[in-house]
Amino acid sequence: MTTQQSAHSTAHDGIQGTQGAFLADVFPEVRRPDAGAVLISEWDAGSPEGQRAVVDGVARVWKEAPLPEGFLSRVLFTGTDGRSVLNYGQWTSHAARQEFVRTAEDSGLRERIAAVLDGVVEVDGTGPGRFRLYRSLLAQDAPGTVGCVVRVGFRTSGHEAALRLVDGLMEMFGGRQGGEGAFGSHFHLREDGRQVVNYSEWTDAEAHQRQVGSALQRDGAVMGFIAGLEGVEPLGFKRFVGPRGLVRA
């Protein structure tokens, strides 16, 4: 069990089954070494009530499902905007996930998930994006426990543009995450090179807002660097809290 998971396990009961032991409703360990594949998607649930129905419904279905060894986590978060839902899943490999999807046809899992998401809008309309974690900016001293995730999105023209973006930011910051209340920024590259998602961890939404106001202003060095990159389009950010789901212990 990781340090981050241990910090949460005192407040959340574990789940033990034939598929192994899981922690319920905790933040995932983004940099776990066995995570060879990541799936990220976002939904628009329309309202706080819709958010709660989605995260509760999907979490309930997955807790009832027989999960294979290749499954590491699936966690959903509610956006502080009162309507967005972030879906973050980890597998040992994309092949393990594809095999699960193939065998899950007979279990009715897909139909139960579809029923929960009936009327919910998928933000990009393409299904969960297939990503891999590429590099991370890490805080020198962890400030406590993660309480907020910020999803920062970029549209990129291909792998070269995506690498220029992430490698340039890593160099600019010397590999260290700045900002009071920051844990780290974890840069995920989509399989086709057309998107970069920064999954950024903070103590709370207010800590991130302070960083935006001080170091991420539109006329600052960071935004100037991004604006000067060919083939990179910033898509903005959203803040998320309240993890619901399962994380393999």
Side-chain angles (χ1 to χ4, degrees), residues 212-225 227:
V212 170
S214 61
L216 299 177
Q217 295 177 341
R218 186 167 299 180
D219 58 350
V222 176
M223 299 307 295
F225 164 73

Side-chain angles (χ1 to χ4, degrees), residues 7-164:
H8 288 279
S9 62
T10 56
H12 299 273
D13 295 333
I15 296 175
Q16 181 71 44
T18 57
Q19 70 271 46
F22 291 90
L23 300 175
D25 305 339
V26 300
F27 288 86
E29 181 60 49
V30 179
R31 298 175 68 239
R32 61 184 300 161
D34 52 351
V38 178
L39 285 95
I40 304 174
S41 57
E42 185 181 325
W43 300 313
D44 185 345
S47 67
E49 294 77 18
Q51 287 179 314
R52 183 55 51 195
V54 168
V55 297
D56 287 348
V58 173
R60 182 175 60 253
V61 171
W62 276 85
K63 287 177 182 178
E64 296 170 352
L67 301 174
E69 291 185 3
F71 172 87
L72 301 176
S73 76
R74 183 170 186 178
V75 182
L76 292 90
F77 308 88
T78 54
T80 58
D81 60 0
R83 59 187 305 150
S84 301
V85 175
L86 178 65
N87 172 36
Y88 186 90
Q90 295 167 302
W91 292 78
T92 55
S93 67
H94 285 301
R97 189 252 178 181
Q98 289 172 332
E99 176 63 17
F100 172 71
V101 170
R102 186 186 67 80
T103 58
E105 292 287 349
D106 297 331
S107 69
L109 176 65
R110 179 174 295 181
E111 289 76 11
R112 294 197 298 274
I113 293 291
V116 172
L117 298 178
D118 185 36
V120 175
V121 177
E122 191 170 46
V123 171
D124 61 11
T126 61
R130 292 164 51 133
F131 290 82
R132 65 179 177 90
L133 177 62
Y134 175 49
R135 301 181 73 179
S136 296
L137 289 168
L138 300 176
Q140 188 164 359
D141 298 306
T145 57
V146 177
C148 175
V149 168
V150 183
R151 181 189 189 276
V152 188
F154 302 89
R155 183 177 293 115
T156 49
S157 59
H159 292 288
E160 290 185 5
L163 295 176
R164 283 197 301 270

